[in-house]
Amino acid sequence: MSNTQSSILTSSKLIQRHPANPILDAALVPYPTALVFNAGVTKFNGKYVMIFRNDYGSISEQTIEPASTTDLGIAYSDDGIHWEVGPKPCFKLRDQEIIRAYDPRLTVIDGRCYMCFAVDTEHGIRGGIAVTDDFVNFEILSLSTPDLRNMVLFPEKINDKYVRLERPFTVYSRGGVDRFDTWISESPDLKYWGNSDLLLAVEDVAFANDKTGPAAPPIKTDKGWLTTFHSVDLDTTRGKNGWEPTWKKRYCAGIMLLDLNNPRKILGMYKDPLLAPEASYEVEGGFRNNVIFPGGMILEDTGEVKIYYGAADTVVCLATTHVDDLLQLCLSSR
């Protein structure tokens, strides 16, 4: 792919955006906010649970307050579509070193809910893992060294190890450019991580020229781990494209299938985007237009797959499909 990517990308016809989109926006939050997006979503103790990124500011004036005003809100649902937001944020980090925590991802392992999150600090971006049983009390298990983010956990041990996907900021080793890839690591205890390998490079994705990285935590099928990823293409001609003075990137969602016993092995990957920015709430009026970022994926007993994603870095949306259709996309592209 060239450095300038102006091509039109479209979503797979096998996936449907929910007619109620956006399913969560700032108007539903009972405390100060301007943007609610990049949410982690899971099922826990019989209910759908969403932890979302909450950035303060002014929607009417299209302004965002300093990063230290970011926190994480919580919402619950009986059907995964209609959400009730809690009366106050559920998680915030701020001290002399830590600026904010954001971009949560939720994974239930052995009956406990684990949350991966990014942490901006005075000395770089770190990835964190916390565990909770009630979404009130969170125990932080680990914080990575800089610079790392977009971490997601697999929902069970593989070969007696916890496994996560992650996106390091390899600026110098990738030629000093904004070019980041998807990596995989393992741990015996969710605290100490290593045995890291490259999983999905930018050049492996036909619709990316800038970044690939984890999206929603993987879901298990009898064919392998269905795994979404985010892809980014940069086009220097895009102009303002949002609230910021310039926003020249487009984020899409891809889908791949990883081996059940060796998730370092990609069994198949859909050659086109699973979701590309097309709907009005994805391409217009947002903080950063042309952004789709999945943060949660739930496999229902019926075979329906719910994919929750941030749109335009402004709202939370839902798309659905069938698990067999996702497997078909991955395996037919081998």
Side-chain angles (χ1 to χ4, degrees):
M1 179 177 289
S2 65
N3 289 331
T4 299
Q5 168 58 283
S6 58
S7 62
I8 296 175
L9 298 177
T10 59
S11 306
S12 167
K13 297 184 184 303
L14 297 178
I15 196 163
Q16 298 82 41
R17 289 167 171 83
H18 199 278
N21 278 346
I23 59 169
L24 187 70
D25 60 21
L28 295 175
V29 179
Y31 45 84
T33 186
L35 310 174
V36 293
F37 64 109
N38 286 6
V41 185
T42 192
K43 273 186 171 179
F44 189 73
N45 292 340
K47 290 185 75 74
Y48 296 85
V49 181
M50 175 191 296
I51 297 182
F52 57 88
R53 173 173 169 171
N54 169 49
D55 284 15
Y56 305 8
S58 170
I59 298 174
S60 60
E61 297 177 5
Q62 295 192 341
T63 57
I64 296 298
E65 295 180 14
S68 58
T69 58
T70 296
D71 54 34
L72 302 183
I74 190 164
Y76 297 93
S77 174
D78 291 323
D79 59 8
I81 301 168
H82 304 92
W83 295 85
E84 181 178 352
V85 179
K88 61 182 181 179
C90 67
F91 190 85
K92 183 172 184 174
L93 295 180
R94 174 66 174 162
D95 59 26
Q96 290 183 334
E97 170 64 14
I98 294 175
I99 299 169
R100 63 174 175 176
Y102 58 101
D103 289 358
R105 304 287 178 263
L106 302 180
T107 306
V108 176
I109 306 174
D110 295 332
R112 306 192 76 194
C113 189
Y114 293 83
M115 182 176 74
C116 295
F117 53 96
V119 184
D120 286 351
T121 79
E122 297 293 345
H123 296 88
I125 298 175
R126 305 173 70 181
I129 300 175
V131 63
T132 183
D133 298 306
D134 56 11
F135 303 101
V136 175
N137 302 291
F138 291 83
E139 177 189 359
I140 296 177
L141 301 176
S142 67
L143 288 172
S144 73
T145 56
D147 278 313
L148 189 68
R149 67 186 293 189
N150 298 126
M151 302 185 325
V152 300
L153 293 171
F154 284 71
E156 63 183 56
K157 287 184 176 181
I158 302 173
N159 300 320
D160 203 34
K161 294 288 195 301
Y162 297 99
V163 182
R164 77 181 182 195
L165 304 179
E166 57 203 17
R167 196 192 75 188
F169 288 75
T170 49
V171 175
Y172 293 105
S173 62
R174 293 288 267 152
V177 296
D178 187 20
R179 195 169 176 87
F180 308 137
D181 311 295
T182 307
W183 286 67
I184 185 169
S185 297
E186 64 182 32
S187 169
D189 55 7
L190 290 167
K191 295 182 180 181
Y192 301 101
W193 292 86
N195 196 21
S196 304
D197 284 315
L198 175 67
L199 179 67
L200 183 68
V202 173
E203 56 267 28
D204 296 331
V205 179
F207 47 94
N209 68 0
D210 187 66
K211 304 176 190 176
T212 72
I219 59 175
K220 189 177 185 180
T221 75
D222 58 354
K223 302 292 185 183
W225 295 103
L226 271 172
T227 306
T228 54
F229 60 90
H230 68 269
S231 69
V232 184
D233 68 86
L234 175 67
D235 183 343
T236 57
T237 68
R238 283 197 174 114
K240 190 171 184 299
N241 206 27
W243 299 8
E244 293 184 313
T246 59
W247 176 246
K248 302 180 184 301
K249 297 175 183 178
R250 171 175 53 187
Y251 278 66
C252 296
I255 188 77
M256 59 183 170
L257 186 68
L258 307 180
D259 187 84
L260 283 177
N261 297 312
N262 180 16
R264 288 171 167 78
K265 180 180 180 181
I266 300 175
L267 299 180
M269 180 174 66
Y270 184 43
K271 61 182 178 59
D272 297 313
L274 178 66
L275 273 169
E278 297 170 294
S280 60
Y281 45 82
E282 299 162 355
V283 301
E284 299 173 359
F287 175 55
R288 290 170 173 166
N289 295 325
N290 294 327
V291 172
I292 284 178
F293 204 115
M297 182 163 57
I298 294 175
L299 175 59
E300 306 286 11
D301 293 340
T302 61
E304 180 188 57
V305 176
K306 290 183 171 72
I307 299 175
Y308 296 89
Y309 65 97
D313 278 3
T314 305
V315 295
V316 179
C317 298
L318 171 63
T320 60
T321 186
H322 195 278
V323 63
D324 292 341
D325 290 336
L326 292 178
L327 291 170
Q328 177 188 342
L329 288 177
C330 294
L331 295 175
S332 63
S333 299
R334 288 187 295 184

